[in-house]
Coordinates of all heavy atoms in Angstrom, one line a residue:
G178 N 39.9 -135.6 -66.6 CA 38.8 -135.4 -65.7 C 39.3 -134.8 -64.4 O 38.8 -135.1 -63.3
K179 N 40.3 -133.9 -64.5 CA 40.9 -133.3 -63.3 C 39.9 -132.6 -62.4 O 39.9 -132.8 -61.2 CB 42.0 -132.3 -63.7 CG 42.6 -131.5 -62.5 CD 43.7 -130.7 -63.0 CE 43.3 -129.7 -64.1 NZ 42.3 -128.8 -63.6
T180 N 39.0 -131.8 -63.0 CA 38.0 -131.1 -62.2 C 37.1 -132.0 -61.5 O 36.7 -131.8 -60.3 CB 37.2 -130.1 -63.1 OG1 38.1 -129.2 -63.7 CG2 36.2 -129.3 -62.3
T181 N 36.7 -133.1 -62.2 CA 35.8 -134.1 -61.6 C 36.6 -134.8 -60.4 O 36.0 -135.0 -59.3 CB 35.5 -135.2 -62.6 OG1 34.7 -134.6 -63.7 CG2 34.6 -136.3 -62.0
L182 N 37.9 -135.0 -60.6 CA 38.7 -135.6 -59.5 C 38.7 -134.7 -58.3 O 38.6 -135.1 -57.1 CB 40.1 -135.9 -60.0 CG 41.0 -136.8 -59.1 CD1 40.4 -138.2 -59.1 CD2 42.4 -136.8 -59.7
V183 N 38.9 -133.4 -58.5 CA 38.9 -132.4 -57.4 C 37.6 -132.4 -56.7 O 37.5 -132.4 -55.5 CB 39.3 -131.0 -57.9 CG1 39.1 -130.0 -56.8 CG2 40.7 -130.9 -58.4
G184 N 36.5 -132.4 -57.5 CA 35.1 -132.4 -56.9 C 34.9 -133.7 -56.1 O 34.3 -133.6 -55.0
L185 N 35.4 -134.8 -56.6 CA 35.2 -136.1 -55.8 C 35.9 -136.0 -54.5 O 35.4 -136.5 -53.5 CB 35.7 -137.3 -56.6 CG 34.9 -137.7 -57.9 CD1 35.5 -138.8 -58.6 CD2 33.5 -138.1 -57.4
K186 N 37.1 -135.4 -54.5 CA 37.9 -135.3 -53.3 C 37.2 -134.5 -52.3 O 37.1 -134.8 -51.1 CB 39.3 -134.8 -53.6 CG 40.2 -134.7 -52.3 CD 41.6 -135.0 -52.6 CE 42.4 -135.1 -51.3 NZ 43.8 -135.7 -51.5
L187 N 36.6 -133.4 -52.8 CA 35.9 -132.5 -51.9 C 34.7 -133.1 -51.3 O 34.3 -133.0 -50.1 CB 35.5 -131.2 -52.6 CG 36.6 -130.3 -53.1 CD1 36.1 -129.2 -54.0 CD2 37.3 -129.7 -51.8
L188 N 34.0 -133.9 -52.1 CA 32.8 -134.6 -51.6 C 33.1 -135.7 -50.6 O 32.4 -135.9 -49.6 CB 32.0 -135.2 -52.8 CG 31.3 -134.3 -53.7 CD1 30.7 -135.0 -54.9 CD2 30.3 -133.5 -53.0
C189 N 34.3 -136.4 -50.8 CA 34.7 -137.3 -49.8 C 35.0 -136.6 -48.5 O 34.7 -137.1 -47.4 CB 36.0 -138.0 -50.3 SG 35.7 -139.3 -51.6
F190 N 35.7 -135.5 -48.5 CA 36.0 -134.7 -47.3 C 34.7 -134.3 -46.6 O 34.6 -134.4 -45.4 CB 36.9 -133.5 -47.7 CG 38.4 -133.8 -47.6 CD1 39.2 -133.6 -48.7 CD2 38.9 -134.3 -46.4 CE1 40.6 -133.8 -48.6 CE2 40.3 -134.6 -46.3 CZ 41.1 -134.3 -47.4
I191 N 33.8 -133.6 -47.4 CA 32.7 -133.0 -46.7 C 31.8 -134.0 -46.1 O 31.1 -133.8 -45.1 CB 31.9 -132.1 -47.7 CG1 31.0 -131.1 -47.0 CG2 31.0 -133.0 -48.6 CD1 31.8 -130.1 -46.2
R192 N 31.8 -135.3 -46.6 CA 30.9 -136.3 -46.0 C 31.4 -136.7 -44.6 O 30.7 -137.3 -43.8 CB 30.9 -137.5 -46.9 CG 30.0 -137.4 -48.1 CD 30.3 -138.4 -49.2 NE 30.2 -139.7 -48.8 CZ 29.0 -140.5 -48.9 NH1 27.9 -139.9 -49.4 NH2 29.0 -141.7 -48.5
K193 N 32.7 -136.4 -44.3 CA 33.3 -136.8 -43.0 C 33.6 -135.5 -42.2 O 34.1 -135.6 -41.1 CB 34.6 -137.5 -43.3 CG 34.5 -138.8 -44.1 CD 35.8 -139.5 -44.3 CE 36.4 -140.1 -43.1 NZ 37.6 -141.0 -43.3
W194 N 33.2 -134.3 -42.7 CA 33.6 -133.1 -42.0 C 32.7 -132.9 -40.8 O 31.4 -132.9 -40.9 CB 33.4 -131.9 -42.9 CG 34.3 -130.7 -42.5 CD1 33.9 -129.6 -41.9 CD2 35.7 -130.6 -42.8 NE1 35.0 -128.8 -41.7 CE2 36.1 -129.3 -42.3 CE3 36.6 -131.3 -43.5 CZ2 37.4 -128.8 -42.4 CZ3 37.9 -130.9 -43.6 CH2 38.3 -129.6 -43.0
T195 N 33.3 -132.5 -39.6 CA 32.5 -132.3 -38.4 C 32.8 -130.9 -37.8 O 32.1 -130.5 -36.9 CB 32.7 -133.4 -37.4 OG1 34.1 -133.5 -37.1 CG2 32.2 -134.7 -37.9
A196 N 33.9 -130.3 -38.2 CA 34.3 -129.0 -37.5 C 33.4 -127.9 -38.0 O 33.4 -127.5 -39.1 CB 35.8 -128.7 -37.9
P197 N 32.7 -127.2 -37.0 CA 31.8 -126.2 -37.4 C 32.4 -124.9 -37.8 O 31.8 -124.1 -38.5 CB 30.9 -126.0 -36.2 CG 31.8 -126.4 -35.0 CD 32.7 -127.5 -35.6
R198 N 33.7 -124.6 -37.4 CA 34.3 -123.3 -37.6 C 35.6 -123.5 -38.4 O 36.4 -122.5 -38.5 CB 34.5 -122.6 -36.3 CG 33.2 -122.1 -35.7 CD 33.4 -121.4 -34.4 NE 32.2 -120.9 -33.8 CZ 31.4 -121.7 -33.0 NH1 31.8 -122.9 -32.8 NH2 30.3 -121.2 -32.6
R199 N 35.9 -124.6 -38.9 CA 37.1 -124.9 -39.7 C 36.6 -125.4 -41.0 O 35.7 -126.1 -41.1 CB 38.0 -125.8 -39.0 CG 38.4 -125.4 -37.6 CD 39.4 -126.4 -37.0 NE 40.7 -126.3 -37.5 CZ 41.7 -127.2 -37.3 NH1 41.5 -128.2 -36.5 NH2 42.9 -127.0 -37.8
G200 N 37.3 -125.0 -42.1 CA 36.8 -125.3 -43.4 C 37.8 -125.8 -44.4 O 39.0 -125.9 -44.1
I201 N 37.3 -126.2 -45.6 CA 38.2 -126.6 -46.7 C 38.3 -125.4 -47.6 O 37.4 -124.6 -47.9 CB 37.5 -127.7 -47.5 CG1 37.3 -128.9 -46.6 CG2 38.3 -128.1 -48.7 CD1 36.4 -130.0 -47.2
C202 N 39.6 -125.2 -48.0 CA 39.9 -124.0 -48.9 C 40.3 -124.6 -50.3 O 41.2 -125.4 -50.4 CB 41.0 -123.2 -48.3 SG 41.5 -121.8 -49.3
V203 N 39.6 -124.1 -51.3 CA 39.9 -124.6 -52.7 C 40.3 -123.3 -53.5 O 39.5 -122.4 -53.6 CB 38.8 -125.3 -53.4 CG1 39.2 -125.8 -54.8 CG2 38.3 -126.4 -52.5
L204 N 41.5 -123.3 -54.0 CA 42.0 -122.1 -54.7 C 42.2 -122.4 -56.2 O 42.7 -123.5 -56.5 CB 43.3 -121.6 -54.1 CG 43.3 -121.2 -52.6 CD1 44.7 -120.8 -52.1 CD2 42.3 -120.1 -52.4
T205 N 41.8 -121.5 -57.0 CA 42.0 -121.7 -58.5 C 42.7 -120.5 -59.1 O 42.8 -119.5 -58.4 CB 40.6 -121.8 -59.2 OG1 39.9 -120.6 -59.1 CG2 39.8 -122.9 -58.5
H206 N 43.2 -120.7 -60.3 CA 43.9 -119.6 -61.0 C 42.9 -118.6 -61.6 O 43.2 -117.4 -61.7 CB 44.9 -120.2 -62.0 CG 45.7 -119.1 -62.7 ND1 46.6 -118.3 -62.1 CD2 45.7 -118.7 -64.0 CE1 47.1 -117.5 -63.0 NE2 46.6 -117.7 -64.1
T207 N 41.8 -119.1 -62.1 CA 40.9 -118.3 -62.9 C 39.4 -118.5 -62.3 O 39.1 -119.5 -61.7 CB 40.9 -118.7 -64.4 OG1 40.4 -120.1 -64.5 CG2 42.2 -118.5 -65.0
N208 N 38.6 -117.5 -62.7 CA 37.2 -117.6 -62.3 C 36.5 -118.8 -63.0 O 35.6 -119.5 -62.5 CB 36.4 -116.4 -62.7 CG 36.8 -115.2 -61.9 OD1 37.1 -115.3 -60.7 ND2 36.9 -114.0 -62.5
I209 N 37.0 -119.1 -64.3 CA 36.4 -120.2 -65.0 C 36.6 -121.5 -64.3 O 35.7 -122.4 -64.1 CB 37.0 -120.3 -66.4 CG1 36.5 -119.0 -67.2 CG2 36.6 -121.6 -67.2 CD1 37.2 -118.9 -68.6
A210 N 37.9 -121.7 -63.8 CA 38.2 -123.0 -63.1 C 37.4 -123.1 -61.8 O 36.9 -124.1 -61.4 CB 39.7 -123.0 -62.8
R211 N 37.2 -121.9 -61.1 CA 36.4 -121.9 -59.9 C 35.0 -122.3 -60.2 O 34.4 -123.2 -59.5 CB 36.4 -120.5 -59.3 CG 35.5 -120.3 -58.1 CD 35.1 -118.9 -57.9 NE 34.4 -118.3 -59.0 CZ 34.3 -117.0 -59.3 NH1 34.8 -116.1 -58.4 NH2 33.6 -116.6 -60.3
D212 N 34.4 -121.8 -61.3 CA 33.0 -122.1 -61.6 C 32.8 -123.5 -62.0 O 31.8 -124.1 -61.8 CB 32.5 -121.1 -62.7 CG 32.5 -119.7 -62.3 OD1 32.5 -119.4 -61.0 OD2 32.4 -118.8 -63.1
E213 N 33.8 -124.1 -62.7 CA 33.8 -125.5 -63.1 C 33.7 -126.4 -61.8 O 33.0 -127.4 -61.8 CB 35.0 -125.9 -63.9 CG 34.9 -125.4 -65.4 CD 33.7 -126.0 -66.1 OE1 33.5 -127.2 -66.0 OE2 32.9 -125.2 -66.7

Side-chain angles (χ1 to χ4, degrees):
K179 173 176 57 62
T180 300
T181 299
L182 193 66
V183 173
L185 290 175
K186 180 144 191 169
L187 292 173
L188 291 175
C189 283
F190 268 125
I191 201 64
R192 284 162 60 90
K193 303 179 71 172
W194 204 262
T195 57
R198 293 181 177 83
R199 305 181 74 187
I201 300 170
C202 180
V203 184
L204 302 179
T205 66
H206 181 64
T207 63
N208 292 325
I209 294 174
R211 174 202 63 195
D212 293 344
E213 284 296 313

